[in-house]
């Protein structure tokens, strides 16, 4: 009797044909959030396209607006962001709503002397580490401390 493995699901791909055509790749959160944060590094307008219309992206955009960035939505997936002088801070309820808010630390530290960040929200802290961000910023000369 042959051993059969329980398979919950599978993809069957049949080749043998020449590959041709065009594919539109949708944007994703893991690419969009760092790029949104990087807009803080310039005062020039930055046009971003293929940005997914998801909650984490919308919260990051709210954080940018609260910091003083002008965010213009051109269409469902395109934004023009102009970051000027910082007029706000990192709003606690927004930081706690999205784990990706930690990505704002680097660009903010590049343009400011000090940043105070509430612990980011998202998954349980133990599942995805934050200390790699602090280690990287420390290696670049920042003094990072965690307070209760």
């Amino acid at each position: 009797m042959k051993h059969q493995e329980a398979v919950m699901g599978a993809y069957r791909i049949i080749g043998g044909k020449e590959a041709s055509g065009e594919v539109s790749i949708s944007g994703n959160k893991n690419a969009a959030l760092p790029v949104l944060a990087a807009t803080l590094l310039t005062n020039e307008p930055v046009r971003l396209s293929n940005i997914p219309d998801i909650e984490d992206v919308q919260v990051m955009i709210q954080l940018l607006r609260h910091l003083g960035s002008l965010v213009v939505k051109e269409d469902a997936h395109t934004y023009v962001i102009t970051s000027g002088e910082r007029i706000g801070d990192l709003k606690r309820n927004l930081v706690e709503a999205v784990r990706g808010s930690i990505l704002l630390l680097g660009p903010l530290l590049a343009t400011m002397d000090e940043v105070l960040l509430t612990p980011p929200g998202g998954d349980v802290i133990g599942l995805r580490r934050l200390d790699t961000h602090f280690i990287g910023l420390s290696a670049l000369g920042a003094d990072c401390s965690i307070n209760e």
Side-chain angles (χ1 to χ4, degrees):
M1 191 168 163
K2 247 181 157 179
H3 175 69
Q4 291 183 339
E5 292 184 37
V7 178
M8 295 183 68
Y11 294 103
R12 183 174 184 180
I13 300 148
I14 301 170
K17 298 180 182 179
E18 185 178 324
S20 65
E22 293 182 19
V23 176
S24 295
I25 306 299
S26 62
N28 67 67
K29 173 178 75 169
N30 292 336
L33 295 182
V35 172
L36 286 165
T39 64
L40 293 171
L41 294 170
T42 181
N43 292 331
E44 298 294 320
V46 177
R47 186 173 186 272
L48 302 174
S49 57
N50 206 19
I51 301 295
D53 189 16
I54 58 173
E55 186 174 348
D56 283 6
V57 166
Q58 295 308 314
V59 172
M60 187 68 94
I61 287 170
Q62 288 179 53
L63 278 162
L64 291 173
R65 284 183 170 137
H66 190 72
L67 286 167
S69 294
L70 172 64
V71 181
V72 177
K73 187 173 185 176
E74 288 187 344
D75 62 42
H77 302 286
T78 306
Y79 294 86
V80 176
I81 301 171
T82 308
S83 297
E85 184 180 341
R86 306 287 175 263
I87 59 170
D89 57 9
L90 291 166
K91 200 167 182 185
R92 182 182 190 106
N93 67 318
L94 295 175
V95 170
E96 291 174 347
V98 61
R99 187 168 197 78
S101 59
I102 196 157
L103 297 170
L104 296 168
L105 281 180
L108 286 173
L109 282 173
T111 58
M112 300 173 69
D113 291 333
E114 183 179 26
V115 178
L116 180 62
L117 179 76
T118 302
D123 298 337
V124 176
I125 295 293
L127 296 178
R128 289 188 291 175
R129 298 170 34 176
L130 297 176
D131 63 333
T132 53
H133 294 274
F134 303 129
I135 291 167
L137 292 170
S138 294
L140 293 171
D143 180 22
C144 300
S145 62
I146 300 172
N147 302 321
E148 292 296 324

